[in-house]
Amino acid sequence: MLMTKEFQVEASTAAAGMVENIGKVFIGKDDVIRKTVLALLANGHILLEDVPGVGKTLLAKAVAKSVNGEIKRIQFTADLLPTDVTGVSVYHQDTGEFSFRKGPVFTNVLLGDEINRATPRTQSSLLEAMEEKQVTVDGRVHQLEPPFFVIATQNPIELEGTYPLPFSQMDRFIVRLKIGYLDQDNEKQMLQDQKLSLPLDNLNPVIDCETLLKIQEAVREIKIAPELYDYIVEIVSRTRDNPAFEYGSSPRGSLDLMRFSQAAALLDGRDYILPDDVKKFAPLVLGHRVIVKKGSRLASATSGDAVSELVESITVPL
């Protein structure tokens, strides 16, 4: 579709409305909410890496309610099978035929709780769904209904009985976020809000899934100056030849950085991205896609900080 000025304003207003709506129940974390909405608008997926009890499930439910979408939850465990995620073909003895029973991956918002507790085989069952929006079971391809948004969580503290996410799995997430604890004022506000009821129960949609799909299409039409293509590629390329990195970002990182910057522009009411959009979000989008080399001068830094330092060394186009 060709985005008109009127629809751009409507899309930007709707996106801002989602941020505000989620903030009614997920208090004190406006930056996390904004980045989550940007990931959704960019048609990406997010990995929430934080301790239990900080509201990861609440955030996922609030996102689903805001777009009037269906949400399903998978508790990842060591004995979870790939078919428990994707679905299974069932044989009917009376007809002598197989029918496909859909798994929980067939939804709009999928909450994968403690994804690193599942075996690599089960983790990999999400790869095709996240990238190609389809699953293959017994040689048959089953398409997922858009929109499809994965919010996966993992606990960074408990290491026993966990399996680190494969590099290919990490690359499927557009961003990795940490929520963190509430400050005292917001935690007090949470207690008061939930004294008698759960605010989530009264949360109403601000858009529907069909409108979300149109906004996601509009994000792709946000203008990008030729020099900004060069800037994005330069940043990602530097992660591959930097001696401080064991591994750099894949080309998917370039695509995700472009798309996330476009989503940020739309949310801000612009029909073009700025160099500052790319510079600001590069550490967030690329940080989990690189591995800092042990023994390098950046070995003690987080991968996001390492990317941030790299970005600072690159000339920003005017």
Side-chain angles (χ1 to χ4, degrees):
M1 82 177 190
L2 185 61
M3 181 172 62
T4 63
K5 187 65 177 178
E6 291 75 15
F7 183 74
Q8 180 203 334
V9 173
E10 292 176 9
S12 178
T13 302
M18 288 179 59
V19 174
E20 181 182 357
N21 199 51
I22 297 171
K24 293 177 182 178
V25 296
F26 195 71
I27 62 173
K29 295 296 176 182
D30 294 342
D31 186 59
V32 173
I33 295 172
R34 179 181 172 85
K35 290 172 180 175
T36 300
V37 171
L38 289 179
L40 178 61
L41 300 183
N43 201 14
H45 311 285
I46 65 173
L47 176 64
L48 295 177
E49 187 178 80
D50 222 318
V51 296
V54 293
K56 298 186 289 289
T57 301
L58 175 63
L59 176 60
K61 289 182 176 180
V63 169
K65 277 206 163 189
S66 294
V67 300
N68 200 24
E70 181 184 27
I71 181 173
K72 292 182 181 178
R73 178 180 177 272
I74 303 175
Q75 177 61 57
F76 282 82
T77 57
D79 59 351
L80 192 74
L81 298 175
T83 51
D84 294 328
V85 177
T86 59
V88 63
S89 294
V90 178
Y91 179 72
H92 297 279
Q93 194 170 11
D94 54 339
T95 62
E97 297 178 347
F98 286 91
S99 66
F100 179 64
R101 182 178 297 167
K102 293 181 179 180
V105 75
F106 288 85
T107 186
N108 299 128
V109 178
L110 178 66
L111 175 60
D113 216 0
E114 296 184 300
I115 189 173
N116 57 333
R117 289 199 173 278
T119 63
R121 181 187 177 197
T122 301
Q123 288 179 17
S124 65
S125 64
L126 271 180
L127 293 179
E128 182 183 16
M130 292 173 68
E131 181 63 20
E132 301 176 48
K133 306 297 190 294
Q134 66 181 36
V135 296
T136 303
V137 178
D138 294 334
R140 295 187 61 186
V141 175
H142 303 272
Q143 299 292 334
L144 302 179
E145 285 291 328
F148 177 63
F149 184 48
V150 174
I151 299 181
T153 74
Q154 65 175 0
N155 187 342
I157 296 178
E158 298 176 11
L159 298 178
E160 293 185 11
T162 62
Y163 303 84
L165 295 186
F167 206 49
S168 59
Q169 181 88 48
M170 294 292 289
D171 198 34
R172 258 64 170 194
F173 294 104
I174 193 168
V175 292
R176 177 176 61 184
L177 301 178
K178 295 181 183 293
I179 296 176
Y181 294 114
L182 293 172
D183 59 35
Q184 291 187 8
D185 289 338
N186 282 308
E187 192 158 355
K188 177 182 176 181
Q189 182 65 46
M190 179 195 70
L191 297 179
Q192 294 171 339
D193 290 346
Q194 298 192 26
K195 179 176 179 291
L196 297 176
S197 62
L198 295 177
L200 183 66
D201 294 339
N202 300 317
L203 193 68
N204 296 315
V206 291
I207 60 173
D208 55 25
C209 288
E210 184 178 350
T211 302
L212 173 60
L213 292 175
K214 292 179 180 178
I215 297 175
Q216 288 177 338
E217 291 179 17
V219 165
R220 292 175 175 266
E221 295 187 26
I222 295 295
K223 299 171 186 174
I224 306 173
E227 56 269 24
L228 290 185
Y229 287 114
D230 294 332
Y231 186 44
I232 292 171
V233 172
E234 177 70 13
I235 291 173
V236 175
S237 296
R238 289 280 191 95
T239 67
R240 300 168 189 160
D241 55 26
N242 192 306
F245 292 154
E246 189 78 40
Y247 295 101
S249 172
S250 71
R252 188 184 286 116
S254 300
L255 287 168
D256 283 350
L257 179 54
M258 176 185 71
R259 200 71 72 210
F260 203 82
S261 299
Q262 288 178 296
L266 184 137
L267 183 56
D268 288 343
R270 289 181 274 112
D271 65 349
Y272 56 91
I273 71 171
L274 297 170
D276 284 348
D277 294 326
V278 178
K279 182 177 180 179
K280 177 181 179 181
F281 294 118
L284 178 67
V285 175
L286 303 179
H288 61 288
R289 304 171 196 265
V290 302
I291 297 178
V292 180
K293 187 179 296 184
K294 295 180 180 179
S296 71
R297 65 179 183 84
L298 294 176
S300 60
T302 65
S303 56
D305 289 339
V307 173
S308 182
E309 180 175 321
L310 180 149
V311 172
E312 289 295 336
S313 69
I314 300 174
T315 302
V316 179
L318 298 177

